[in-house]
Amino acid sequence: MAIAAVTTRACNGVDAPIVSVEVHLSKGLPSFNLVGLPETSVKEAKERVRSALINAGFEFPMCRITVNLAPADLPKQGGRYDLPIAVGILAASNQIPLASIQQYEFTGELALSGHIRPCQAILPAIISARQQNQAIVIPLDNRPQAELVGFDKVFLANHLQQLAAHLHGQQSLPEISQGLTWVTVEDEPNTVCLSDIIGQYQAKQALEIAAAGNHNLLLIGPPGTGKTMLASRIIDLLPKMDYDEALEVAALYSVSGQEVPLKDFYRRPFRSPHHTSSAISLVGGGSIPKPGEISLAHKGVLFLDEIAEFPRKVLDCLREPMETGEVVISRAAAKLTFASNFQLIAAMNPSPCGSADANSRSSPDQILRYLSKLSGPFLDRFDLTIDVPRLPSGSLSNTAHQATETSAQVATRVQAAIDRQLSRQGHLNSQLSGKQLQQHSGFKQVDIQFLENSVEKLGLSIRSFHRIQRVARTIADLQDSSQVTRPHIAQALGYRAMDKLLKQLQQY
């Protein structure tokens, strides 16, 4: 009779709780029993572990084997438990020293040959091990994810025999160096630039304001006016993420089964789902909950092109995550929370036929029904709504058109405005509460009264009243002004194209 306990980690969203794999060898008819709320993929580990041990040259104990995955109330799924189960059997049968396994955590899937295969969602396990300063053994093919963490107690194993030799003290496993040498990798030159877009000066200015204050932006205009091109340029205006932010984003991608390319580690994510996407694909969920597009856009931009074509119920699912910065997915077995602090950029046509001018084939009622696909509370989440009109005649053929600033030039101003906000209030203007607005906005009472009268005249909500103040504060920061003046407020009021369009249609 022998018993061994091996430590591993489960995958519970972006968390990696500790799981103790207890292996008990006892007298009785040969059997292999696996308990502790294992799902089908974990139950199949019995056959993988048996074949892997035999083919790797180890003796498979011909006795009653009981494996308990504790805690028993935590669901377990995936092949990540193969390696700790195999190590537990080897330790309980005295084929490896029992004392040698106490200082390690083990995670990995086994091939029938005894090779150790990579497993998904390994990054949260490595991050949790680093937080507790606990050595961890992972598959060799998971090295790229381990290098992102830079934890010097990560050991890489490719085969059971190699791991056994390490535990016997005969041969050391390769480790991950603590120095993050890859951080110095140079960025690839940008192939797109804001200067590539002809005209649309107001839209470019709105894009700069949105980048500087992390404001949500809605672009309204006919097809072919450059809405998608404008939205795709905003990433180059935003500052790169710091290491902790980048690692948080990489962990979300790891849980979803994706990887962040090394060259894009510090680059903010830009997600652009198709309008046929379901609510689960956007928000997250499934039988085994995984992050949706809004979580994969964490610390970055979520771009919804042709937003009016998205189902209204799907769009309304975004309202709460946009306010709280996280999404909570509740299932019968678990309740998971995924971060979703994203900036929303959207684009749409002004009517079903794509045009809202005198040549439009759509009647005012048809246009109003089309625009009503976006609910009022959802539209309130946009700080800026901009009209992106067709270019004047001759703009495309005129090669001597006015030169515009490059993305790098605009990004410099954006960074300066962000620095002012962080030094003044500790976060960006879009996150200012009503009380903080009074404290940091720099408004005069007469200007606040002017804004309130304008909001009442336009029929806007109280939420819009506060959002206009935040936009005006960002405009002042871009101009290096400590005081928000009447021109800043007037400019912010000018970025309400949707309100003006709806008001015009309601007058027919």
Side-chain angles (χ1 to χ4, degrees), residues 152-360:
D152 60 349
K153 291 186 178 181
V154 176
F155 295 85
L156 306 168
N158 190 43
H159 197 278
L160 275 176
Q161 291 179 343
Q162 181 191 21
L163 177 59
H166 174 81
L167 296 176
H168 277 288
Q170 300 170 351
Q171 177 185 351
S172 296
L173 291 174
E175 303 177 42
I176 296 294
S177 61
Q178 191 170 9
L180 304 179
T181 56
W182 50 266
V183 172
T184 59
V185 175
E186 295 183 0
D187 295 333
E188 294 184 355
N190 293 329
T191 57
V192 296
C193 182
L194 201 61
S195 60
D196 298 335
I197 303 174
I198 301 174
Q200 306 299 359
Y201 303 111
Q202 186 190 34
K204 291 178 182 178
Q205 192 173 39
L207 201 69
E208 179 181 348
I209 296 170
N214 195 40
H215 300 291
N216 299 325
L217 171 64
L218 175 61
L219 303 168
I220 308 171
T225 54
K227 301 186 297 294
T228 303
M229 290 180 65
L230 283 163
S232 64
R233 269 42 172 196
I234 193 172
I235 287 296
D236 295 324
L237 307 183
L238 298 173
K240 293 185 182 297
M241 296 183 287
D242 60 31
Y243 176 72
D244 291 336
E245 291 176 331
L247 194 60
E248 186 179 357
V249 172
L252 287 166
Y253 274 72
S254 178
V255 172
S256 67
Q258 305 178 48
E259 293 184 19
V260 177
L262 193 61
K263 62 183 179 64
D264 295 331
F265 182 64
Y266 288 122
R267 185 179 176 85
R268 296 188 181 274
F270 183 88
R271 306 293 298 186
S272 180
H274 193 260
H275 59 76
T276 56
S277 300
S278 64
I280 290 179
S281 67
L282 279 180
V283 178
S287 57
I288 302 176
K290 290 188 175 182
E293 289 291 334
I294 64 173
S295 294
L296 296 179
H298 181 57
K299 299 296 181 181
V301 173
L302 177 69
F303 175 52
L304 301 183
D305 200 4
E306 303 295 344
I307 190 173
E309 302 300 330
F310 282 81
R312 180 167 176 167
K313 292 183 178 179
V314 172
L315 294 178
D316 285 341
C317 289
L318 304 181
R319 285 159 48 185
E320 184 177 353
M322 289 171 66
E323 292 293 329
T324 62
E326 62 182 21
V327 56
V328 179
I329 301 174
S330 297
R331 295 293 182 267
K335 179 179 179 180
L336 302 179
T337 300
F338 295 113
S340 57
N341 186 10
F342 62 93
Q343 182 177 5
L344 179 61
I345 307 295
M348 64 178 296
N349 296 325
S351 69
C353 67
S355 176
D357 53 21
N359 298 323
S360 174

Side-chain angles (χ1 to χ4, degrees), residues 356 364 368 497-508:
L368 194 59
M498 177 62 82
D499 300 321
K500 297 174 185 176
L501 180 58
L502 291 174
K503 196 172 185 64
Q504 290 174 359
L505 291 171
Q506 291 169 355
Q507 291 175 353
Y508 283 98

